[in-house]
Amino acid sequence: MAAGTALVYDGEMSSHKLLWEDPVCDIEVPERLSSCYDRLQHYNLVERCISVSAREGTDSEIMLIHSMDYLETVKGTEKMEEEELQKVSAGYDAVYFHPTTYRCAKLAVGATLQLVDAVMSGKTRNGMALVRPPGHHSQRNAANGFCIFNNVAIAAKYAQRKYNLQRILIVDWDVHHGQGIQYTFDDDPSILYFSWHRFEHQKFWPSLRESNYDAVGQGKGRGFTINIPWNQVGLGNSDYLAAFLHVLLPMAFEFDPELVLISAGYDSGIGDPEGQMNATPECFSHLTHFLMNLAKGKLCAVLEGGYHLRSLSESVCMTLKTLLGDPLPPLSGEMMPCLSARESIQNVRAAHKPYWKCLTYEDVTPLQDLSTRSCQAEEAESTQSNAELLTPQEVGKGNISEVIKTDRFLEMHMKSIIVSLKPPIKTAAAVDESDTHLLPPAVHIPKGLDVKEFKTTISAFDVKLMKEEALSSLLNMLAVLNKIIKKEVINGLAVSSTPSLSSAIAAAHCRKLKVQKILCVFVGDMDMKIELEDGKVLLINICAKQSEQVNTKHNISLNWKEDPETNNFFSATFGFILPVAYSYQPNLTIVIVGPNQNLGKNRISLLISLLQGLAQSQILALIQDTEEKIMQDITNILTGGFIPNFGTYAPDLKENVQMIKELREQFQQEWKLLQCSAKNSK
Ligand code: X5A
Ligand code: ZN
């Protein structure tokens, strides 16, 4: 199992710079690279990575995407004087050349390919390449939008050839449309290209018709280009999250890539003068974390845009921290995607319905970009926690004082989200003596036998008739829980003969320790013993048996019909459980795996892995002792392993999808991330 995170960086790529005045290009500065690296050092992240050297991309590698003519043109700029360089630059849209541009662009390509090699060879699990100039706008015969060679497109072709890959996912979260990548793979079903971008009804650069949601690819590649056009500025964390949950992730898991490449531009982040969006740095942790569950964790992030230096560098740090396996910071702001974003999301889902099984039961027709209501206005109405500090309007354009305003916001914001938490021990466990050999040696096994505090928690429950053994396993479970709450470990697991009772005791203990919001996910058929008063617990119950219970905001049952042939559970995971969980924003998650659980180890593993995005990754997994076969898989996830493959994709049963749809409609006023269409606005 590949481990570790590669970092590819070479300061020489800072030599490419603008030599004359040009208000369009003057934001693409050398400090973009150095400030990222400085910030990584500040957080001690560089030393935790496996350093991989850059190299020059070769002619033949560059010609995987670009024409020989174009390559010769770029080569020719190496010996040019300023005046000539200006002339060549003027021949393209939003590009500048410097005498070192050719050298830097070759290093950017080579650095990206070195990263692909590190990940594909198993030297590391994942990694990031910090490169300049960026790549995603450049085309076969043209430089464009600060981009000279298309680093990520070249990497995809290179990986296909060298490692014989059948399916690669490219996620372009830069705020601009990577039209260069789209053109390259337009008719290619082996590359799934996803891009969201500021569009504003085609007013925003590069103002292309083919950036809209109805550009889905051509010929055999139809359905393998996904464009989410953003028609308003000021979008933020919840809009991006909704786009991932309701568009990208269902399709990406259906696609089942063997490698994920990220065109990682951070001009989609807060304070950026180009994007004018509002996503905070930790949003990129969550986006990264989602993608780490694909392709057995094989993920390469390659820098594209990002022009607010502080925002850019903090976001790069959050991305790399997540790749390293650190717990995820909480996502700030109210989880309520705005109308314009929902409209875009609905349009994309409708446009792609013919091509994706996960959208089979979608009953939407594309809207015509109707919304005129500004999401900034909507956000101003909400009591967003960022609002007192900074509103999207305040970030505004990137003039000096606005840049400083965002700096100040980020200074406070990054302090308030935990960036240094990394306990020496990640996972604690309470299991039978006889099972300890099933756990990796790094797992800590606390004993809770003599703790008075635990005994008082337990004595409130009916445990008098309990055997000594069962009682001591309860106490050990509380010892593990205690370590999670006190942040001595990140997560833990406990085996129990009475998981339902254990979970009730665990919840009581959480309350005693003033844990504000607890998310409990039950898998299997169990009696719920948890006290539900006062909204401190949100209970999601995934069961095979039809339950009598009436669903309420804080107590929701999913009656999931088992069909081992066709059952993949993605519609429940992305369509319901995660949107509700992210809307709730718990402080601790408890997953209870009981009897008759009908999901199987892969789906439970994926669910637990994804739930690590909540509650700063603090999870207690409670496993019924009869379900011990999945204990090792769950331990693997909790200790930082990745999830196994799912095999051939089959769509969920119609009745299951129908059930999810009904639940979504029922609860989308309460849990707003469920909203992915414009019609059910508040
Ligand atoms: C890589 C990137 C942006 C070009 C903007 C031109 N390019 N107005 O972010
Ligand atoms: Zn960009």
Side-chain angles (χ1 to χ4, degrees), residues 136-137 174-176 267 305 307:
H136 70 154
H137 297 304
D174 188 282
V175 87
H176 300 96
D267 39 17
Y307 308 100

Side-chain angles (χ1 to χ4, degrees), residues 84-100:
E84 252 182 306
L85 287 168
Q86 269 200 59
K87 233 182 257 161
V88 178
S89 305
Y92 301 108
D93 183 8
V95 181
Y96 66 85
F97 282 90
H98 178 276
T100 65

Side-chain angles (χ1 to χ4, degrees), residues 435-448:
D435 285 339
T436 50
H437 70 279
L438 295 171
L439 302 171
V443 173
H444 176 65
I445 305 177
K447 295 276 179 227

